[in-house]
């Protein structure tokens, strides 16, 4: 690309690099979660939520299990202020939930923020000012010391306002644009704020280290977090919090590596809603932990319903490939993938293993409210026999013989390719019925009767070209006798009957379904199926269907 020389790495590695976090294999416990959907998420909406929508969204977050919820920037607008007062005055905040509010380090904004919090049972008051080199030079045109003074003055005012305001408050500080700040300067300003607040193990302070704009690969952010975590003052009285955005598409990786590096808390949103490319997606983070056998302490057992409410209230759309929540994330169209999934599911039924392990499915879709039918295997021109058979088995209870699966698979693939569309289960079933079930042309089955009990002599009544005929045959079994009657009287030849049957329940009554394959003189197997309340009659219909398919393709 042109003009690549105009870009340079704008981030800063720690002055002393440590990679202790890289020795850890996985996250072994859930962090403290703080939803910022009602602040970062809401301010990024084309049409921000109104009061009623915010209240409904807040309740959804509570139901999911969030214990810390940022409810807004109450000094920014009357809507934000009213929302917070509604929550407090109507006693809508559960006792085990802490609300959080945001304020810049500016005198009148801080005072207005504490005014909005009067009577709050538990609230985190989040102070921030921007510290990055670019912001200092271009926006504020201030020295490092002047930026520190802004933070320290705000921290002092926090103490004054908290003492004058009814409520129970915890303090939080963010060096906004942390990822563009010299790491030793970020440490200096955070420690200056901590010196003002004097946290204790019983009265902890949150230091939030936001990737306000992603500027580096995730391992750099992790190294920055580790340096801060190891060098902050009052460390046993400080909660290190992460607030990753997603400008480089690695918000989840930043958060995961940041937790390994010492992060104890994560601020994010459902499905990653937020400005630009969004905040870190807490759904993905939590379910990634879940897939490793770690309880995320959030409840996504009915993710489709959460997604439905989210899309209605935010007017945003979750993409089809969004991890876990997207419509297609558990869906396989590829034939080889479908075959592996179907066999994996069957293996689980047979073995009942203690842990989940199915090819291409990192977690059990049922655990988050997704259905196997219509979710996991969907059929288009790329699909294979295994997927087609799986859909018919799940939806209609059909257990097709292996060879018949291939024959049906080609027909379904051909239809999908010609129509250039995905085929629903009902359409696949219709193809199966039209192609294989009770096929009555060119030889139409009418009835049969058996004579004697030992030699299996039979008379089969058929209709060909409008003419009814009675065909006699003998065999070593009833189906063999009928098969011989067709071959002897009609001059057709086939061999190697492959037979399978099982009970089938479709609609209101139980029926039997039979599958038969016959091999023609060229070694090609032709398949047919019969459905009837009587198992013998279903077998005869299957035989006629197979013979008719052979004749139609001769």
């Amino acid at each position: 690309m042109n003009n690549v020389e105009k870009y340079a790495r704008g981030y800063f590695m720690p002055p002393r690099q440590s990679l202790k976090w890289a020795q850890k294999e996985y996250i072994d416990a859930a962090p403290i979660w703080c939803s910022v959907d009602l602040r970062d998420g809401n301010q990024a909406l084309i049409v921000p939520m109104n009061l009623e929508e915010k209240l409904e969204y807040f309740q959804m977050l509570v139901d999911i299990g969030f214990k810390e919820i940022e409810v807004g920037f109450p000094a920014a607008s009357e809507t934000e202020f009213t929302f917070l007062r509604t929550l407090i005055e109507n006693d809508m905040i559960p006792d085990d939930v802490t609300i959080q509010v945001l304020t810049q380090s500016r005198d009148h904004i801080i005072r207005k923020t504490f005014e909005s919090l009067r009577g709050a049972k538990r609230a985190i008051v989040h102070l921030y000012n921007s510290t990055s080199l670019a912001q200092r030079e271009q926006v504020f045109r201030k020295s490092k010391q002047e930026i520190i003074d802004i933070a320290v003055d705000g921290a002092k005012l926090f103490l004054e306002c908290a003492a004058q305001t009814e409520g129970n408050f915890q303090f939080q500080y963010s060096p906004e644009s942390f990822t563009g700040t010299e790491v030793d300067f970020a440490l200096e300003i955070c420690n200056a704020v901590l010196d003002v607040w004097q946290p204790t193990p019983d009265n902890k302070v949150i230091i939030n280290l936001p990737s306000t704009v992603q500027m580096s690969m995730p391992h750099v952010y992790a190294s920055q977090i580790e340096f801060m975590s190891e060098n902050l003052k009052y460390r046993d009285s400080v909660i290190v919090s992460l607030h990753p955005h997603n400008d480089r598409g690695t918000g989840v990786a930043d958060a995961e590596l940041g937790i390994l590096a010492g992060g104890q808390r994560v601020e994010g949103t459902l499905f990653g809603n937020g400005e630009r490319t969004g905040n870190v997606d807490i759904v993905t983070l939590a379910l990634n932990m879940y897939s490793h056998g770690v309880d995320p302490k959030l409840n996504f057992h009915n993710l489709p319903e959460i997604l439905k409410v989210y899309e209605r209230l935010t007017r945003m759309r979750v993409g089809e490939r969004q991890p876990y929540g997207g419509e297609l994330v558990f869906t396989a169209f590829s034939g080889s993938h479908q075959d592996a999934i179907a066999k994996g599911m069957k293996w689980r039924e047979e073995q009942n293993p203690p842990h989940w392990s199915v090819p291409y499915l990192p977690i059990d879709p049922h655990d988050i409210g997704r259905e196997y039918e219509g979710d996991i295997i969907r059929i288009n021109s790329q699909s294979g026999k295994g997927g087609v058979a799986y859909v018919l088995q799940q939806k209609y209870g059909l257990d097709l013989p292996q060879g018949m699966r291939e024959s049906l698979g080609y027909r379904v693939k051909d239809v999908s390719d010609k129509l250039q569309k995905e085929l629903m289960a009902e359409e696949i079933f219709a193809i199966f019925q039209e192609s294989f079930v009770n096929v009555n042309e060119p030889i139409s089955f009418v009835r049969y009767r058996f004579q004697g009990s030992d030699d299996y002599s039979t008379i089969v009544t058929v209709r060909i070209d409008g003419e009814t005929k009675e065909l006699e045959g003998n065999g070593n079994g009833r189906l063999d006798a009928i098969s011989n009657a067709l071959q002897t009287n009609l001059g057709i030849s086939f061999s190697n009957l492959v037979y399978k049957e099982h009970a089938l329940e479709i609609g209101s009554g139980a029926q039997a379904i039979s599958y038969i394959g016959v091999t023609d003189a060229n070694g090609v197997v032709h398949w047919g199926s019969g459905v009837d309340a009587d198992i013998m009659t279903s077998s005869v219909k299957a035989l006629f269907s197979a013979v008719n398919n052979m004749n139609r393709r001769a």
Side-chain angles (χ1 to χ4, degrees):
M1 291 180 63
N2 295 332
N3 302 320
V4 68
E5 66 278 357
K6 73 190 285 186
Y7 297 100
R9 292 177 290 278
Y11 58 85
F12 301 89
M13 287 295 288
R16 297 183 303 279
Q17 189 170 352
S18 171
L19 292 174
K20 295 176 185 176
W21 60 267
Q23 309 306 313
K24 300 176 183 178
E25 181 183 352
Y26 64 95
I27 297 167
D28 59 7
I32 301 167
W33 299 109
C34 178
S35 161
V36 295
D37 290 80
L38 294 168
R39 167 53 188 171
D40 285 38
N42 187 59
Q43 76 172 1
L45 299 178
I46 298 172
V47 180
M49 288 180 275
N50 60 34
L51 177 61
E52 291 72 23
E53 290 169 333
K54 282 187 171 185
L55 291 172
E56 183 180 352
Y57 204 108
F58 178 82
Q59 186 57 52
M60 177 176 69
L61 294 172
V62 170
D63 293 341
I64 289 170
F66 285 98
K67 301 305 179 186
E68 295 184 2
I69 301 172
E70 187 168 86
V71 295
F73 195 137
S77 72
E78 191 60 34
T79 301
E80 301 271 283
F81 190 96
T82 300
F83 173 52
L84 177 55
R85 293 312 307 164
T86 300
L87 290 173
I88 295 172
E89 292 170 7
N90 293 335
D91 196 23
M92 302 178 73
I93 307 166
D95 291 341
D96 63 345
V97 172
T98 301
I99 56 170
Q100 177 172 303
V101 294
L102 189 68
T103 175
Q104 294 171 326
S105 189
R106 299 172 65 184
D107 186 287
H108 70 286
I109 295 178
I110 292 172
R111 294 184 187 278
K112 181 76 170 179
T113 299
F114 275 93
E115 178 188 342
S116 72
L117 287 168
R118 285 191 325 272
K121 296 177 187 175
R122 298 160 57 96
I124 297 168
V125 194
H126 182 182
L127 174 72
Y128 76 93
N129 67 306
S130 195
T131 60
S132 72
L133 176 62
Q135 293 268 17
R136 296 197 314 266
E137 289 182 343
Q138 301 170 33
V139 180
F140 300 109
R141 303 195 178 194
K142 292 183 182 294
S143 67
K144 287 182 178 179
Q145 187 56 53
E146 289 174 310
I147 297 297
I148 291 174
D149 291 342
I150 291 172
V152 168
D153 289 345
K156 290 177 179 177
L157 187 56
F158 262 46
L159 293 174
E160 177 187 326
C161 291
Q164 298 170 355
T165 306
E166 175 195 359
N168 182 14
F169 308 115
Q170 182 179 18
F171 296 162
Q172 173 171 323
Y173 174 69
S174 289
E176 193 210 356
S177 56
F178 165 73
T179 45
T181 304
E182 306 90 329
V183 186
D184 51 353
F185 176 58
L187 178 66
E188 182 182 359
I189 195 168
C190 287
N191 280 336
V193 170
L194 291 172
D195 281 338
V196 173
W197 284 341
Q198 295 287 310
T200 67
D202 294 328
N203 186 25
K204 292 185 178 182
V205 160
I206 300 167
I207 293 295
N208 189 57
L209 303 172
S211 176
T212 309
V213 178
Q214 280 189 325
M215 307 178 78
S216 69
M217 294 172 67
H219 74 286
V220 173
Y221 183 63
S223 296
Q224 293 168 336
I225 297 301
E226 189 166 75
F227 177 83
M228 294 292 290
S229 177
E230 292 182 345
N231 292 281
L232 283 166
K233 291 183 177 181
Y234 316 94
R235 187 61 187 88
D236 64 344
S237 303
V238 171
I239 298 168
V240 174
S241 177
L242 313 175
H243 184 109
H245 280 247
N246 199 44
D247 301 88
R248 291 171 58 91
T250 59
V252 169
D254 276 3
E256 290 182 328
L257 298 189
I259 293 171
L260 294 181
Q264 300 157 284
R265 180 179 184 268
V266 174
E267 296 186 345
T269 60
L270 299 180
F271 307 110
N273 182 33
E275 289 190 288
R276 305 184 311 278
T277 56
N279 288 53
V280 70
D281 178 4
I282 287 182
V283 175
T284 300
L285 278 172
L287 292 177
N288 281 355
M289 293 179 199
Y290 183 74
S291 74
H292 285 170
V294 177
D295 184 357
K297 307 297 184 182
L298 294 175
N299 186 356
F300 293 119
H301 76 279
N302 192 354
L303 193 56
E305 181 59 28
I306 293 171
L307 188 149
K308 180 180 176 182
V309 174
Y310 166 86
E311 291 191 331
R312 173 170 56 82
L313 295 179
T314 65
R315 302 166 185 85
M316 298 286 288
R317 184 173 174 274
V318 174
E320 289 90 342
R321 298 296 181 186
Q322 180 90 0
Y324 301 107
E327 179 186 354
L328 299 179
V329 297
F330 293 109
T331 299
F333 289 105
S334 160
S336 61
H337 289 204
Q338 292 174 343
D339 185 59
I341 290 171
K343 288 175 179 175
M345 298 294 284
K346 184 173 180 60
W347 184 86
R348 278 191 62 80
E349 291 178 7
E350 295 169 351
Q351 303 296 325
N352 191 29
H355 297 114
W356 177 262
S357 176
V358 173
Y360 303 111
L361 297 179
I363 67 171
D364 185 347
H366 271 176
D367 289 345
I368 57 172
R370 300 291 294 268
E371 294 298 326
Y372 294 148
E373 176 190 311
D375 266 349
I376 295 181
I377 291 178
R378 290 166 59 173
I379 305 302
N380 63 15
S381 60
Q382 305 302 308
S383 304
K385 60 183 180 182
V388 171
Y390 182 85
V391 169
L392 290 181
Q393 186 171 40
Q394 291 293 308
K395 179 76 172 180
Y396 298 101
L398 301 179
D399 187 12
L400 275 61
Q402 194 65 35
M404 192 177 196
R405 295 179 184 187
E406 184 172 358
S407 181
L408 174 62
Y410 282 122
R411 298 194 188 193
V412 169
K413 185 190 293 276
D414 184 59
V415 172
S416 177
D417 189 42
K418 288 178 179 176
L419 295 178
Q420 291 289 293
K421 67 188 275 298
E422 177 188 356
L423 298 180
M424 299 296 102
E426 295 78 8
E427 295 171 294
I428 297 167
F429 184 61
I431 294 170
F432 170 71
Q433 287 185 303
E434 180 182 352
S435 301
F436 298 103
V437 179
N438 298 349
V439 180
N440 263 328
E441 292 293 337
I443 307 169
S444 179
F445 165 70
V446 179
R447 60 182 173 271
Y448 64 85
R449 68 178 186 274
F450 292 104
Q451 306 174 100
S453 58
D454 296 327
D455 58 354
Y456 294 107
S457 175
T458 186
I459 297 177
V460 186
T461 304
V462 301
R463 184 175 294 109
I464 303 174
D465 296 331
E467 181 183 352
T468 300
K469 297 181 179 181
E470 289 190 341
L471 313 177
E472 294 187 15
N474 297 284
N476 56 17
R478 292 190 170 190
L479 193 59
D480 186 53
I482 294 174
S483 172
N484 289 335
L486 294 177
Q487 295 188 74
T488 301
N489 294 278
L490 299 180
I492 57 179
S493 178
F494 53 85
S495 60
N496 299 328
L497 264 69
V498 179
Y499 175 75
K500 182 177 183 179
E501 56 84 17
H502 62 81
L504 176 68
E505 192 164 313
I506 300 177
S508 58
Q511 292 183 305
I513 184 166
S514 300
Y515 313 95
I516 286 182
V518 298
T519 304
D520 65 20
N522 297 315
V524 178
V525 180
H526 303 270
W527 290 93
S529 181
V531 175
D532 197 89
D534 176 70
I535 186 63
M536 185 63 214
T537 303
S538 78
S539 301
V540 175
K541 289 181 177 180
L543 175 61
F544 270 77
S545 296
V547 170
N548 281 326
N549 279 335
M550 180 182 71
N551 286 337
R552 291 197 299 186
R553 290 165 178 78

